[in-house]
Amino acid sequence: MQKDMEQILFSEQEIKDCVSRLAGEINRDYAGKEPLVVGILQGSFVFLADLVRQITLPIRVEFMSVSSYGSGTESSGSLNIRLDLAEDIAGRDVILVEDILDSGNTLSRLIPSLQERGPASLKLCVLLDKPDRRVKEVSVDYLGYSIPDAFVVGYGLDYDQKYRNLPYVGILKPEVYSK
Ligand code: PRP
């Protein structure tokens, strides 16, 4: 898979340090609380798995699946909840975990729909943000890295469902996705 990379953007060690920093912020901000950490499938599963192991609070973990990208590179206009939360989040402190914020279409629809369920608080933790691609405004509470508009894969991020298992974040060679 490494031959398909133009560049390694963040190494395994850099990501590890970044995840420790984010978990430290969460541990500090939620001291004495029992937040519900919600991973948005599928891309967040690697980030979430590392993040929760650095969180020292008595958290609960759940997942949601919402549709945006297909096998192409653009997100679709509408949000479809494919897998919903099992727990009622009314009165809970919820932390949403995403691998990447791109156009903002997914989160700008998901966040208001979760707010309607009456959580005590709802914050967003995102590993990668591509601000140049933003169409809908989304405010991030815990951010790993702001990145340029490049096609990134690895550490949970895919192209056509591949590369999610790379331990680093890399930029894909254009020839791979323009084939
Ligand atoms: C990615 C990511 C976000 C969304 C962000 O998911 O995990 O959910 O795209 O893009 P947006 O800001 O333009 O809405 P994707 O739909 O690729 O699915 P995946 O997590 O299964 O890879």
Side-chain angles (χ1 to χ4, degrees), residues 9-175:
L9 197 55
F10 301 114
S11 68
E12 205 171 345
Q13 187 59 50
E14 284 172 317
I15 296 170
K16 204 173 173 198
D17 294 343
C18 176
V19 169
S20 294
R21 169 176 64 81
L22 294 172
E25 292 174 22
I26 290 170
N27 287 332
R28 183 197 62 207
D29 293 352
Y30 290 85
K33 294 183 174 171
E34 300 187 7
L36 173 66
V37 178
V38 176
I40 311 301
L41 294 171
Q42 303 189 55
S44 71
F45 79 101
V46 179
F47 174 40
L48 182 133
D50 284 345
L51 183 72
V52 296
R53 282 178 289 178
Q54 300 287 327
I55 295 179
T56 50
L57 308 163
I59 58 166
R60 296 166 79 109
V61 179
E62 281 219 45
F63 292 94
M64 287 186 85
S65 175
V66 297
S67 57
S68 55
Y69 296 5
S71 59
T73 60
E74 299 292 321
S75 65
S76 71
S78 62
L79 181 78
N80 174 32
I81 297 183
R82 289 187 293 226
L83 172 72
D84 207 340
L85 298 171
E87 274 188 55
D88 181 4
I89 61 168
R92 300 295 310 270
D93 292 302
V94 177
I95 305 171
L96 279 182
V97 176
E98 262 288 23
D99 53 337
I100 190 163
L101 175 57
D102 192 317
S103 69
N105 282 323
T106 308
L107 287 168
S108 68
R109 289 179 174 88
L110 178 60
I111 289 171
S113 86
L114 291 176
Q115 289 285 16
E116 281 176 18
R117 303 182 191 186
S121 67
L122 180 58
K123 286 196 178 181
L124 177 62
C125 177
V126 173
L127 181 66
L128 305 173
D129 180 18
K130 281 185 183 175
D132 296 346
R133 298 262 306 169
R134 195 78 79 259
V135 174
K136 300 273 173 56
E137 198 181 319
V138 174
S139 118
V140 180
D141 301 286
Y142 304 99
L143 175 65
Y145 301 105
S146 213
I147 61 168
D149 182 13
F151 202 123
V152 288
V153 294
Y155 201 70
L157 291 129
D158 74 308
Y159 168 60
D160 209 9
Q161 300 303 327
K162 288 181 286 195
Y163 307 104
R164 293 192 197 273
N165 54 321
L166 288 173
Y168 53 82
V169 172
I171 297 178
L172 202 57
K173 284 181 180 164
E175 66 219 52

